[in-house]
Each structure stands twice: as structure tokens, then as C-alpha cells.
Amino acid sequence: ILHYKLKGGEIIASKDIKISIDEENRSILFEQQNSNDWALIKDILLENWKINFIGISQGLKKNDEQRFNGFGMTGCLNFFNTIFKKTTINVHKGECEDSLNIVNSKGNLADIKIFNSYSDAIDIDFSNISINKIAVNKAGNDCFDVSGGNYQIFQAALRECGDKGVSVGESSNLTLSELNLISSNIGISSKDYSKVEVVRAQISNTYSCVEVRQ
């Protein structure tokens, strides 16, 4: 396991992953050497930082067991107890249960781009977060999945979601100003006493545009 101290917080990562940190320009680059490499950023304020994660694919099958790291996180790129301020996150590839996993965090993300996810593209739990722009292109399961928190999304462009475009569960509150969704099984799913407000949505090539269930 790799450990780095950063701005009062820390980065914990699998031993083979390559990490490049540029504190002056506020950027971090993670590069997988194996498809099960992961990184966890925790207990930190990320103001105007840009985080990039470059994954690789090694041919995992859909029925292969999903893997948790030793800290119970399910993502390739993970954040725990993080405060975001105009933070940018980009993730490309990665054979994890979630390409991006955010837990117990708050603040504002300026931009998230996720491409070619093995399973879920974005999974956010128990957080209070606003996101200016989201772009997801190709996810094996859900493109955007939140639970147990309060979320505000101003603009989301989601394409080729294997299951749900937007999944909201466990008594969450989500406000989504503008959604453009192309190709999914279910467009928007509100579950388990969650509240979802969508101002404007364009959904196409989708079996069910909206579902509400418990």
C-alpha cells in the first residue's frame, strides 16, 4: 500500500499504481498498471484541483466478482471525507465496481468526465454535493448513482448506460436542472423514499424513461 500526505489529508493507493502530484498547479494523475489498481483521497480540502485517473482494461467478465479494497471502497478512484471546491475529476477506463466513488463528502465539483466504465461510472453516497457539469460515455451498469444524501446537478450528458442513466436511492434528494440521456435501460430511477426534481430532460433510446419504486 502507498501513502502520501497532502494538504492535511492523505492519499492511499495500491502498491503498483503510478502517481504524479503537482502541488503548484494543483493536479494529480493516477495511472493503473493493473486493472485492479485503486486510489483513495481522504480527509482533505480540494480547491481548484484537477484529478485525473487513467485506467486499463484486462478483460474482466461481467460475472466476475467485484472487488473492494482494504478500506471498503468500491471504486478505482475514491474520495472519503473530502471537501470539494471547484474540483475537476476525469476517469478513463478501470475495471472496478465504480469508476468514481465518493463517500461522506461535501462541496462543489466543477466538472466530472467518465469514459468507458466497466460497471457504474459515478457512485456517490452519504454526501452533500453540487456538480456543475457531468459527462459520462459508456458505462456497463449505471451512469450516475447516488444514495443517502443531497445532490444538485446543473448539467448532465449521459450516453450508453448499461442499466440506469440516473439512479437515486436511500432517501436522497436530487435536483437536476438539465439532462441529456441517450441509450439506457431506465432513464431516471427514484427509489426508497427519495425525492427527485428534474427541470428539463431529453431522453432517447431508452426502454423506460422514468420509474418510481420502493
Side-chain angles (χ1 to χ4, degrees):
I1 301 293
L2 303 176
H3 289 262
Y4 295 87
K5 294 295 183 181
L6 180 68
K7 299 289 185 180
E10 62 180 328
I11 299 173
I12 304 168
S14 54
K15 63 182 180 64
D16 293 327
I17 199 167
K18 184 178 179 182
I19 305 175
S20 303
I21 303 172
D22 185 343
E23 291 198 41
E24 182 178 353
N25 294 304
R26 300 193 177 194
S27 68
I28 304 173
L29 172 63
F30 299 98
E31 296 177 271
Q32 281 187 332
Q33 306 303 302
N34 306 289
S35 67
N36 60 353
D37 285 338
W38 55 269
L40 168 62
I41 299 174
K42 65 191 292 283
D43 303 325
I44 192 169
L45 166 63
L46 292 174
E47 184 171 4
N48 294 310
W49 279 75
K50 184 173 184 178
I51 316 296
N52 293 307
F53 189 103
I54 307 299
I56 60 174
S57 297
Q58 295 180 327
L60 213 64
K61 301 295 190 297
K62 281 296 176 185
N63 59 354
D64 286 352
E65 183 179 355
Q66 295 295 322
R67 295 157 295 184
F68 289 77
N69 64 37
F71 296 85
M73 307 293 285
T74 58
C76 289
L77 177 60
N78 304 277
F79 295 87
F80 180 81
N81 196 32
T82 298
I83 300 174
F84 300 105
K85 289 189 176 181
K86 299 180 181 178
T87 313
T88 298
I89 298 174
N90 299 312
V91 181
H92 182 67
K93 292 186 179 179
E95 291 177 337
C96 308
E97 183 172 330
D98 311 309
S99 286
L100 171 62
N101 184 208
I102 299 173
V103 178
N104 195 39
S105 298
K106 62 184 179 179
N108 168 258
L109 288 153
D111 191 31
I112 298 177
K113 293 185 175 72
I114 312 287
F115 299 100
N116 297 314
S117 298
Y118 166 79
S119 188
D120 287 354
I122 302 168
D123 189 297
I124 309 178
D125 304 304
F126 314 116
S127 297
N128 190 344
I129 286 177
S130 69
I131 306 171
N132 296 352
K133 294 179 68 175
I134 294 173
V136 175
N137 196 336
K138 292 186 181 179
N141 197 47
D142 298 340
C143 279
F144 181 73
D145 183 0
V146 296
S147 66
N150 298 291
Y151 308 97
Q152 183 173 21
I153 314 301
F154 292 97
Q155 186 177 7
L158 312 177
R159 292 174 177 265
E160 296 187 44
C161 311
D163 189 13
K164 301 175 184 69
V166 177
S167 178
V168 185
E170 297 182 28
S171 300
S172 292
N173 296 298
L174 171 68
T175 301
L176 179 54
S177 298
E178 183 175 344
L179 171 65
N180 189 312
L181 171 61
I182 300 174
S183 186
S184 67
N185 182 34
I186 297 166
I188 302 168
S189 176
S190 179
K191 303 169 290 182
D192 312 325
Y193 302 102
S194 295
K195 296 180 181 179
V196 179
E197 179 182 355
V198 181
V199 179
R200 182 169 56 251
Q202 183 173 336
I203 300 173
S204 60
N205 192 25
T206 295
Y207 182 75
S208 296
C209 286
V210 177
E211 72 164 9
V212 178
R213 64 187 179 89
Q214 180 180 334

